[in-house]
Amino acid sequence: MSKLERSVVSLVELFEQYAGQDEHKNQLSAAELKQLLEKELTCPEFKKKINAEEVQEAMEMLDKNHDGEINFREFCQFVGMLAKGYFKQKRCGKNDRRREDKS
């Protein structure tokens, strides 16, 4: 299996692991999202992108259809935001990032 294929499989399995804890098997509740953030975001580069303590804020940001839960599409958008933030940080470095924030 290629690196990309492993990443896709891992993403799907991660969503299913946390979404499968209650009766809504295809959605993440606020409690499931909180648990996912606390357990799966461990390195500082990602933790600073979204704070697990502010789950309600995260839910509002991610829940595009306003149904109170995070579906797989919304979860993928969240992962995309994390990837984009990490890419920018890695590419620009901390000094360039400060200049970007001042603009």
Side-chain angles (χ1 to χ4, degrees):
M1 196 179 294
S2 73
K3 200 174 198 179
L4 178 58
E5 290 166 330
R6 284 192 308 272
S7 296
V8 170
V9 168
S10 178
L11 183 64
V12 170
E13 289 175 351
L14 180 67
F15 180 82
E16 289 177 336
Q17 175 186 343
Y18 286 93
Q21 296 178 6
D22 66 11
E23 66 277 357
H24 299 253
K25 302 289 184 207
N26 296 318
Q27 307 236 24
L28 287 169
S29 66
E32 291 166 335
L33 177 64
K34 181 176 193 261
Q35 185 178 29
L36 184 148
L37 294 174
E38 288 173 346
K39 289 186 178 181
E40 303 297 336
L41 291 182
T42 59
C43 96
E45 291 85 8
F46 293 109
K47 274 200 177 278
K48 71 182 175 186
K49 295 294 172 205
I50 190 162
N51 185 341
E53 303 305 318
E54 299 169 351
V55 174
Q56 189 56 42
E57 234 179 272
M59 284 293 291
E60 289 171 13
M61 179 181 72
L62 297 171
D63 185 14
K64 301 295 184 196
N65 63 359
H66 306 291
D67 67 353
E69 297 189 311
I70 305 302
N71 63 32
F72 186 70
R73 181 183 53 77
E74 294 162 338
F75 177 71
C76 288
Q77 290 172 337
F78 165 64
V79 173
M81 290 179 346
L82 288 174
K84 183 178 176 182
Y86 178 73
F87 178 76
K88 279 178 135 179
Q89 179 184 345
K90 188 173 180 179
R91 188 182 70 178
C92 297
K94 293 180 182 177
N95 291 333
D96 291 341
R97 188 170 183 86
R98 282 189 214 131
R99 275 187 251 137
E100 199 175 281
D101 291 344
K102 290 179 184 178
S103 310

